[in-house]
Amino acid sequence: MSEVSSKELYEFKRTLKELSEKKGRGTELVSVYIPPDRQISDVAKHMREELSQSANIKSKQTKKNVQSAIEVIVQRLRLFPRPPEKGLVLFVGMIPKGGPGTEKMETYVFEPPEPIQTYTYHCNSEFFLEPLQHMMDVKEIYGLAVIDRKEATIATLKGKRVDIIKHLTSGVPGKHKAGGQSQRRFDRLIDLAAHEFKKRIGEHMNDSLLSIENLKGIILGGPGHTKEEFLKGEYLQYELKNKVIATVDTSYTGEFGIREVIDKSMNLLEEMDVIQEKQLVQKFLKELIDEHGLASYGEKEVRENLQMGAVDTLLISEDLVQTRKTMECINCGHKVKITYKDPNEDKELVCESCGDKMKVVKAKDLVDDFVKMAEEVDSTVEIISTETEEGIQLFKAFGGIAAILRYKVN
Ligand code: ZN
């Protein structure tokens, strides 16, 4: 599976958000998901069936709109001899722009970032976006481990898929009472064996989890205290240790224990995005109040830092909608770049070297502009939503653009 870049992911997220805001007047928005191995001719055949089915729709307006949408789909399908590598998604429907009679046919056709598994035809007052939203989850991988004195199971969670990586048994005997000298020696041997076991668990977790690039967090589970001892000790590599987001008490070990950990962490996992965004903005704010801190914000300053390669992490607000336009003088060819807060705005601009008029020769989304600069110098890009207070602060107080620097630039 090819990796999707943060920019593609951002664009995909933005498309999803736009699509989720579209509502039809009736149940007349059509969504079609075509898996890569589906014959286009089969889909076209199905569309003709749906077209004749739609004759039964009671509302005249809805009937007409559904039929037009299906016809658009049939036309579009003709452009594809076969589905693309990851399949094809089509969203077609009449979207009202205001009052009655303002509907316009909108058509979205694209290849999704992950392969489509199931063929789906859906007709409703909204577009059917769940399979695409689910693809976003798949980008998030968690490491899981269930540990007690006797056994350990290591797994990964990718979307809804659980992969068991390793199952270990300790061979550590249970404590028993013998009393006296031999009891102490026996206890020491048990402790040593327990330590060796935790060391082995750590080695296996380091081996299997450190190489996962998108590892978002680790959750440890298990019935007793072994998981806490494991976390406190020097068993996990520090990078992985920093990713441990929770320890969960479970009744079971093994695969059942892993399932239990997932069930008990569901809310936490859903909130992870939000938690991570909060932490990133908080880190920036902490750097900002520190006299020698590594914070930078605002379009101009962050752009300069990016161009110098000084940005470690770029924080950019999802709600930032501005355009970077390149203007060129029609007489002498002098060029300037200007950011427009309103993408539709057009200022009359006069050339500073000859006084003639300037025209727009290139227009680019400001977020894209920054993401591209960041990718060129290997800065990490974090797109921050406005779902948290911190995210709102980033958007409102810092113009939606901030950075944590690699080093301080004067
Ligand atoms: Zn000029």
Side-chain angles (χ1 to χ4, degrees):
M1 213 177 285
S2 65
E3 267 313 310
V4 177
S5 75
S6 57
K7 185 180 156 215
E8 285 170 304
L9 205 59
Y10 159 75
E11 277 166 6
F12 180 59
K13 239 176 131 178
R14 194 178 249 196
T15 309
L16 269 185
K17 200 177 166 201
E18 276 169 25
L19 286 169
S20 69
E21 283 158 7
K22 306 208 176 279
K23 309 260 186 288
R25 248 180 231 299
T27 52
E28 56 195 43
L29 304 190
V30 180
S31 312
V32 185
Y33 287 76
I34 306 171
D37 57 357
R38 193 85 172 193
Q39 300 265 350
I40 292 289
S41 55
D42 286 350
V43 183
K45 185 167 165 265
H46 179 218
M47 288 305 120
R48 284 193 294 274
E49 285 161 20
E50 288 293 339
L51 196 63
S52 56
Q53 279 279 321
S54 64
N56 303 323
I57 298 173
K58 286 205 178 68
S59 152
K60 232 172 125 183
Q61 195 59 43
T62 304
K63 187 197 303 180
K64 194 178 145 232
N65 288 344
V66 169
Q67 290 179 339
S68 320
I70 294 175
E71 273 157 16
V72 168
I73 290 168
V74 171
Q75 280 168 20
R76 286 305 180 102
L77 287 177
R78 288 201 192 111
L79 304 173
F80 295 89
R82 68 188 70 81
E85 203 186 322
K86 290 172 183 164
L88 196 65
V89 199
L90 300 100
F91 299 110
V92 183
M94 294 291 262
I95 308 291
K97 305 281 161 198
T102 59
E103 295 88 354
K104 268 187 87 177
M105 182 65 80
E106 293 192 12
T107 308
Y108 303 87
V109 181
F110 55 91
E111 186 183 358
E114 299 279 334
I116 295 168
Q117 307 291 342
T118 322
Y119 174 75
T120 311
Y121 171 89
H122 202 268
C123 185
N124 211 329
S125 57
E126 292 172 20
F127 289 125
F128 179 58
L129 301 172
E130 265 147 56
L132 286 180
Q133 275 151 355
H134 187 60
M135 283 175 197
M136 301 276 303
D137 299 341
V138 179
K139 294 277 132 216
E140 292 164 6
I141 306 170
Y142 291 91
L144 309 169
V146 179
I147 300 167
D148 74 354
R149 277 178 88 84
K150 288 202 154 37
E151 56 176 348
T153 303
I154 304 166
T156 56
L157 177 68
K158 203 176 171 189
K160 289 193 170 126
R161 204 180 80 202
V162 179
D163 290 315
I164 304 289
I165 292 173
K166 191 82 194 172
H167 188 73
L168 303 163
T169 48
S170 71
V172 178
K175 293 206 174 183
H176 73 121
K177 289 210 185 312
Q181 189 76 27
S182 65
Q183 176 71 56
R184 274 195 294 282
R185 196 163 65 232
F186 189 67
D187 283 351
R188 220 174 52 230
L189 286 173
I190 287 180
D191 286 344
L192 193 64
H195 170 70
E196 286 302 321
F197 184 48
K198 281 178 273 192
K199 222 168 106 185
R200 261 171 71 210
I201 301 169
E203 280 162 10
H204 280 286
M205 285 181 76
N206 292 340
D207 277 354
S208 51
L209 300 180
L210 263 176
S211 56
I212 301 175
E213 209 184 310
N214 297 330
L215 190 74
K216 232 177 154 191
I218 296 171
I219 303 174
L220 300 176
H225 292 298
T226 313
K227 58 182 179 304
E228 280 88 5
E229 289 162 18
F230 174 76
L231 185 59
K232 255 185 261 158
E234 302 291 318
Y235 304 109
L236 264 187
Q237 214 260 3
Y238 77 96
E239 224 176 290
L240 292 182
K241 212 171 175 175
N242 285 340
K243 288 195 173 171
V244 174
I245 50 176
T247 55
V248 178
D249 286 320
T250 61
S251 327
Y252 298 97
T253 52
E255 205 172 332
F256 282 116
I258 293 284
R259 293 279 166 198
E260 224 184 323
V261 167
I262 296 169
D263 287 344
K264 289 189 167 170
S265 328
M266 230 46 219
N267 290 340
L268 181 71
L269 294 181
E270 273 166 21
E271 282 169 17
M272 263 310 283
D273 272 337
V274 172
I275 294 169
Q276 204 183 25
E277 287 185 358
K278 277 168 106 66
Q279 282 171 346
L280 281 162
V281 180
Q282 280 163 3
K283 193 173 163 202
F284 159 74
L285 293 170
K286 211 179 128 210
E287 293 292 339
L288 189 70
I289 52 172
D290 181 347
E291 195 190 338
H292 305 288
L294 298 170
S296 168
Y297 66 91
E299 189 193 337
K300 187 167 174 279
E301 199 185 296
V302 174
R303 185 189 298 280
E304 282 167 7
N305 278 314
L306 268 174
Q307 283 164 345
M308 279 184 278
V311 171
D312 178 72
T313 309
L314 173 69
L315 307 179
I316 199 149
S317 177
E318 201 173 62
D319 285 11
L320 191 71
V321 186
Q322 295 183 13
T323 309
R324 185 84 171 153
K325 289 184 181 173
T326 307
M327 316 280 289
E328 193 184 69
C329 171
I330 54 166
N331 177 36
C332 75
H334 176 70
K335 278 186 189 173
V336 280
K337 286 184 178 174
I338 297 172
T339 300
Y340 284 80
K341 296 234 187 297
D342 176 359
N344 299 316
E345 183 191 341
D346 259 321
K347 271 184 255 180
E348 283 276 315
L349 212 69
V350 173
C351 174
E352 55 188 12
S353 64
C354 78
D356 217 325
K357 267 194 207 158
M358 301 195 86
K359 61 167 187 193
V360 179
V361 286
K362 208 166 125 193
K364 204 174 174 189
D365 185 272
L366 189 65
V367 175
D368 287 348
D369 188 38
F370 268 84
V371 169
K372 188 157 171 275
M373 278 191 287
E375 281 172 350
E376 275 165 11
V377 291
D378 270 333
S379 305
T380 308
V381 180
E382 300 287 354
I383 309 278
I384 309 286
S385 75
T386 45
E387 281 165 39
T388 66
E389 229 165 271
E390 285 83 354
I392 294 170
Q393 197 177 358
L394 174 72
F395 181 60
K396 291 198 171 153
F398 300 100
I401 302 172
I404 298 163
L405 301 176
R406 289 179 175 137
Y407 53 86
K408 191 93 186 157
V409 180
N410 289 316

